Amino acid sequence: MSGYQTVLAATIAALAASIGYWVTQRGQRIDRRAKLYAEALDAVHKYRNLPFLVHWRTRSDPDTRSELSRLTQDRVQNMFYFSGLLRLHCPAVAEAYDALVAKTRSQPGPYRQQAWKVPVADSDTEFDQGHPPYDYDTRSEYDACINAMRADLALLPPLRKGRRARSAIRG
């Protein structure tokens, strides 16, 4: 094997190793981000669930009200935590997530007020009253958030022009 062939073989081997390393690292990064995105969406879902917790409460005393108030604050803080974390990782996803959070937070007030008017269930049969009508109108924001997350999780993100697209590709 001549010197040229040896150098070529070594270059090809190094290139293959580099590509393999990049693909592995990108796959691990995608896994970490997917978990982060799932946890962020879970924070929104838990916040949306608050009127149901009020509706199905088993007591209506100061301790219960205090606990539900603490839970509300914890869930709001959790969404803010993920908003900041997403902003560090991917501004395009953070923007879509913030729009989802804002729309979600603008709606539960009347739902919680309605839920507090429901009498406390005294028996198991009172818990089986069907599904309370606490429907959030966030489908378009949720879809936009999911699409931003999917774009960021692509193994080979689309090469688009513009600053926002480049920031979504960077990790």
Side-chain angles (χ1 to χ4, degrees), residues 114-125:
Q114 182 183 357
W116 279 111
K117 293 177 184 175
V118 174
V120 174
D122 292 329
S123 67
D124 292 343
T125 57

Side-chain angles (χ1 to χ4, degrees), residues 30-40 82 153:
I30 287 171
D31 288 344
R32 286 190 306 271
R33 287 239 180 136
K35 185 175 186 223
L36 168 65
Y37 295 163
E39 290 171 353
F82 282 109
L153 293 175

Side-chain angles (χ1 to χ4, degrees), residues 43-142:
V44 173
H45 290 297
K46 285 180 178 177
Y47 179 79
R48 289 173 55 134
N49 195 43
L50 288 168
F52 294 97
L53 295 178
V54 172
H55 184 99
W56 299 116
R57 69 194 182 284
T58 56
R59 296 186 326 255
S60 193
D61 57 17
D63 289 340
T64 301
R65 288 189 293 279
S66 176
E67 176 64 18
L68 288 169
S69 177
R70 185 196 59 76
L71 218 79
T72 300
Q73 291 304 315
D74 288 350
R75 291 181 179 187
V76 168
Q77 289 302 320
N78 203 21
M79 288 188 300
F80 287 150
Y81 166 79
F82 282 109
S83 178
L85 195 56
L86 292 173
R87 193 156 308 291
L88 292 172
H89 285 281
C90 183
V93 171
E95 185 178 319
Y97 182 78
D98 288 347
L100 173 62
V101 167
K103 184 77 179 263
T104 301
R105 288 197 65 214
S106 73
Q107 298 180 30
Y111 297 152
R112 282 197 305 264
Q113 291 170 2
Q114 182 183 357
W116 279 111
K117 293 177 184 175
V118 174
V120 174
D122 292 329
S123 67
D124 292 343
T125 57
E126 291 179 15
F127 274 102
D128 190 19
Q129 299 174 9
H131 188 275
Y134 308 132
D135 296 321
Y136 288 76
D137 179 26
T138 57
R139 175 53 61 192
S140 62
E141 289 80 8
Y142 183 81

